[in-house]
Amino acid sequence: MVVNKSAGGRTLSLSTTANGTAAAVAGNLQSGVPFLPKSPSFHSGLDLLAGREKSPIIMFCDPTMHLPRLHEANASEREQLLIQKMQQCCVLFDFISDPQSDLKWKEIKRETLHEMVDYLSSNHSCNVLTEAIYPEAVRMFGVNLFRSLPPSSNPNGAEFDPEEDEPLLEAAWPHLQLVYEFFLRFLESQNFNPHLAKNYIDQKFVLQLLELFDSEDPRERDFLKTILHRIYGKFLSLRAYIRKQINNIFYSFIYETEHHNGIAELLEILGSIVNGFALPLKEEHKVFLLKVLLPLHKVKSLSVYHPQLAYCIVQFLEKDPSLTEPVIRSLLKFWPKTHSPKEVMFLNELEEILDIIEPLEFRKVLKPLIHQLARCVSSQHFQVAERALYFWNNEYIMSLMSENVDEILPIMFPVLYKNSKTHWNKNIHGLMYNALKIFTETNPVLFHTCTQQFKEDRKTEVDKLKKRDEKWHRVEELAKRNPNFTVSIDNSLSFYTDLARSPINDLDPTIDLKSLEEDTKYHIDTDNRKNRKEKPLLRRKSELPHDTYTLRALNDHKRADEYLATPPDVNKC
């Protein structure tokens, strides 16, 4: 090993020969040079240099002294200079236990990374990505980013609320961000050669990259999403492996942990991938939809990734409409029973599916779908009922209903009419009257038939309740004749008798179509006037103080790519 020290004592150049090892370098650094960084993690990247036969490690100790800038160096020197700078950036620093340590060395690394990012973004880098650059770029990326993530701040997997909860940001982000940007520019460079890079960006690299998606820092997951998408587009041999490993993450998330921070980002990547699938769809893609994507609806933290999940499912149905029936039946199978916000999300997704459904596929799922819609309309949670009634404002869904009104109206009429009289929320009354009016205009004859049938059913129900009430009244009279009859028994029987009589007054068994139309018009006009006068309800947010550093860091972060576009799969894999 040769150590060269300048006269001013500011610059140190270390060069290892073929027989030298990283351990020897580290030992000499620690014992012989007192002015090198003292961070305990300083040498954590040196072990990757063991067994190498070229390229010295160069570390500058004074921020006023720099290697020649890449833009200023001769073309013949840029390759070696870039390699030296990447090796220099393999040194890691401590940002957690002692953030104030090694400040000038941290700044040197940040400036070097920033210079390399600018260099790859400029026109000067067109011919600099030689074969020797690829292993160094991948090695620098791995040394800085492939790490064990800290324990989750939310181990129970509770639902993350973006308005209330603040994410745990990565302390070393000033360096990590520039490493991500450098590697992204490296992948997007004009003369990037996948055939040279495939020796270093392999399955092990992809697996380590996917493990980082569990990071709690949304800025890091945003970079990872873009980088993985670029790798999927450029390395055809890795596409099947990437999809398989994403499936494994989803399986573990659904059936084991129910906690993972990167599900939304992975689904966004898959949405772009599904959009590029060749037709006809392979059987493995259909299995992925039915066995992986649809069970994701079961997880309690669905709201975190539901928009991306719904997009993926709609993309599948646009590719193959024959999948509509199993998808809708699976949604009905997983339909929430007691979680109203989740039920609203299911209704949103169902409307997106119905917007693209074909009439023939709609008929296959007509009855179970309308029965579930009827249950939502009659929900006592006004947001669920309101969201279900908004289906009647969708022109395409109404055209499907009009074509099958003979089967839909007998199911929906009792629910709509009953809740138009008894629902506690007045806004729901107007929406239900509007739905009844649409059915009246669609098929007046069938509407009249349903009305008469409903009157007969109500009359039968009322007669049945009256007979039951008379029987209990006779039981009550016989009980009073018993000498052991007490007041408590009398009160309990009277209570039950009143309870038996009560269901008959929830509806008037007589229905007049003319009065129904007048009520419909009155309720709609009244609701419109109220909506114009009343102020919108605002959700009261928490008054807890926010972390200004977190807010500023998230606001300063810019997405690397606003939209993901997967290139076509030439091998149809």
Side-chain angles (χ1 to χ4, degrees):
M1 181 179 66
V2 180
V3 180
N4 296 325
K5 185 175 179 181
S6 65
R10 296 180 177 179
T11 307
L12 178 70
S13 174
L14 300 175
S15 177
T16 59
T17 61
N19 297 327
T21 63
V25 175
N28 285 301
L29 284 175
Q30 291 175 345
S31 60
V33 186
F35 49 83
L36 279 175
K38 301 179 179 61
S39 173
S41 59
F42 174 75
H43 307 295
S44 57
L46 297 178
D47 57 331
L48 294 178
L49 300 174
R52 292 174 50 83
E53 299 181 3
K54 58 180 181 179
S55 301
I57 305 171
I58 299 178
M59 181 65 196
F60 286 86
C61 305
D62 192 334
T64 61
M65 300 296 294
H66 296 283
L67 283 170
R69 296 186 64 84
L70 290 166
H71 294 295
E72 300 172 355
N74 296 329
S76 59
E77 301 175 353
R78 287 176 184 170
E79 175 187 342
Q80 185 63 24
L81 186 60
L82 181 59
I83 291 175
Q84 292 174 348
K85 287 180 178 289
M86 286 188 291
Q87 292 174 347
Q88 180 181 3
C89 292
C90 287
V91 178
L92 305 181
F93 295 95
D94 184 11
F95 284 85
I96 299 177
S97 61
D98 190 6
Q100 300 301 319
S101 65
D102 309 324
L103 290 180
K104 65 178 181 179
W105 312 119
K106 293 175 182 178
E107 180 61 21
I108 290 174
K109 180 176 179 179
R110 191 196 65 79
E111 290 180 356
T112 304
L113 287 168
H114 194 276
E115 179 191 356
M116 291 192 297
V117 170
D118 290 341
Y119 179 65
L120 288 186
S121 303
S122 66
N123 295 327
H124 296 282
S125 62
C126 292
N127 298 318
V128 78
L129 292 187
T130 59
E131 185 174 356
I133 297 296
Y134 288 87
E136 299 296 338
V138 175
R139 182 176 289 107
M140 185 195 74
F141 182 84
V143 167
N144 283 273
L145 297 172
F146 293 159
R147 65 202 188 279
S148 297
L149 297 175
S152 174
S153 61
N154 183 19
N156 295 326
E159 187 173 318
F160 178 81
D161 187 354
E163 296 183 1
E164 299 288 345
D165 302 330
E166 292 181 353
L168 181 63
L169 300 183
E170 176 62 48
W173 186 248
H175 287 175
L176 299 186
Q177 178 185 9
L178 292 171
V179 175
Y180 275 119
E181 290 185 1
F182 173 81
F183 196 72
L184 187 59
R185 300 294 183 273
F186 171 70
L187 292 173
E188 294 176 343
S189 178
Q190 296 179 0
N191 62 330
F192 178 80
N193 190 342
H195 295 288
L196 293 177
K198 69 180 181 181
N199 296 323
Y200 313 102
I201 301 179
D202 52 9
Q203 293 184 359
K204 181 180 178 181
F205 180 89
V206 169
L207 187 60
Q208 292 177 300
L209 193 70
L210 286 170
E211 291 176 355
L212 295 178
F213 272 87
D214 201 17
S215 170
E216 293 194 26
D217 195 329
R219 303 167 299 178
E220 181 169 16
R221 298 198 304 271
D222 194 44
F223 269 113
L224 288 167
K225 175 189 63 180
T226 307
I227 288 175
L228 183 62
H229 187 266
R230 297 293 183 272
I231 292 175
Y232 187 91
K234 292 180 179 293
F235 296 88
L236 301 183
S237 60
L238 292 175
R239 290 188 173 186
Y241 181 79
I242 291 175
R243 294 197 301 267
K244 178 182 177 182
Q245 293 305 322
I246 292 178
N247 287 4
N248 293 338
I249 293 176
F250 287 160
Y251 280 132
S252 176
F253 173 68
I254 296 169
Y255 299 108
E256 295 178 3
T257 64
E258 287 197 0
H259 180 272
H260 195 283
N261 294 307
I263 299 298
E265 286 77 13
L266 292 173
L267 285 171
E268 188 171 346
I269 296 173
L270 286 172
S272 175
I273 292 174
V274 172
N275 192 29
F277 278 164
L279 295 177
L281 290 178
K282 289 183 175 181
E283 188 63 27
E284 66 169 293
H285 301 329
K286 297 179 182 180
V287 171
F288 168 70
L289 169 65
L290 300 176
K291 301 298 183 181
V292 180
L293 289 185
L294 289 173
L296 283 171
H297 290 87
K298 299 191 300 182
V299 184
K300 59 185 177 182
S301 58
L302 174 65
S303 61
V304 178
Y305 56 84
H306 181 259
Q308 293 85 356
L309 176 60
Y311 177 78
C312 288
I313 291 176
V314 170
Q315 290 296 310
F316 264 107
L317 299 184
E318 287 182 344
K319 290 283 184 180
D320 189 353
S322 65
L323 294 170
T324 306
E325 180 182 4
V327 165
I328 291 182
R329 291 189 181 276
S330 294
L331 281 180
L332 299 180
K333 174 185 175 183
F334 299 132
W335 202 277
K337 301 296 188 298
T338 59
H339 197 300
S340 298
K342 197 172 181 181
E343 204 167 355
V344 173
M345 287 187 283
F346 272 62
L347 288 168
N348 290 334
E349 183 175 351
L350 184 60
E351 184 173 9
E352 291 185 30
I353 293 174
L354 293 179
D355 275 335
I356 62 169
I357 195 172
E358 295 183 356
L360 182 60
E361 297 296 327
F362 181 74
R363 288 193 58 82
K364 294 179 181 179
V365 295
L366 178 61
K367 287 191 176 181
L369 179 61
I370 297 302
H371 278 292
Q372 182 60 58
L373 194 60
R375 285 191 288 270
C376 294
V377 167
S378 60
S379 172
Q380 290 302 303
H381 196 289
F382 81 97
Q383 290 181 337
V384 176
E386 183 182 51
R387 186 63 188 88
L389 288 167
Y390 279 154
F391 279 41
W392 274 262
N393 295 335
N394 189 303
E395 294 183 1
Y396 182 66
I397 295 178
M398 284 313 303
S399 66
L400 295 173
M401 288 187 175
S402 300
E403 296 174 1
N404 303 275
V405 70
D406 295 344
E407 300 181 50
I408 295 176
L409 189 54
I411 300 173
M412 292 301 305
F413 180 83
V415 175
L416 290 172
Y417 183 78
K418 178 181 178 181
N419 286 278
S420 68
K421 299 290 187 180
T422 61
H423 201 281
W424 64 272
N425 190 288
K426 293 183 178 180
N427 293 330
I428 302 300
H429 294 179
L431 293 173
M432 290 192 177
Y433 276 117
N434 180 59
L436 286 170
K437 184 179 179 181
I438 292 175
F439 280 131
T440 306
E441 297 172 350
T442 302
N443 194 331
V445 177
L446 179 61
F447 190 88
H448 179 75
T449 303
C450 292
T451 303
Q452 297 301 322
Q453 182 63 39
F454 182 71
K455 289 170 62 177
E456 294 177 3
D457 294 341
R458 290 300 299 147
K459 187 175 182 302
T460 303
E461 184 179 351
V462 170
D463 293 341
K464 183 178 179 181
L465 289 174
K466 284 183 178 180
K467 290 180 181 180
R468 190 176 67 176
D469 189 38
E470 291 173 358
K471 291 180 180 180
W472 279 107
H473 185 69
R474 289 197 296 270
V475 171
E476 184 180 359
E477 293 297 328
L478 292 173
K480 289 180 179 180
R481 298 176 187 176
N482 192 318
N484 296 326
F485 179 79
T486 61
V487 178
S488 61
I489 298 178
D490 185 23
N491 290 338
S492 64
L493 287 175
S494 299
F495 171 77
Y496 191 86
T497 304
D498 295 338
L499 184 64
R501 294 192 184 102
S502 63
I504 67 173
N505 61 14
D506 64 340
L507 286 177
D508 181 1
T510 60
I511 300 175
D512 184 11
L513 291 178
K514 185 176 181 180
S515 64
L516 177 62
E517 293 180 0
E518 293 176 356
D519 287 346
T520 302
K521 183 177 179 181
Y522 169 76
H523 278 282
I524 293 175
D525 293 342
T526 304
D527 291 337
N528 289 338
R529 288 195 298 271
K530 287 183 178 180
N531 291 335
R532 287 195 296 268
K533 293 179 181 179
E534 293 180 356
K535 295 182 179 179
L537 295 176
L538 299 177
R539 177 184 175 185
R540 185 177 180 181
K541 297 184 178 180
S542 172
E543 297 180 357
L544 294 175
H546 292 280
D547 185 2
T548 56
Y549 170 76
T550 301
L551 296 177
R552 184 171 65 253
L554 293 176
N555 290 332
D556 293 342
H557 173 67
K558 296 182 180 179
R559 292 187 56 166
D561 191 2
E562 186 175 0
Y563 300 103
L564 298 178
T566 302
D569 188 353
V570 294
N571 295 334
K572 298 182 179 181
C573 62

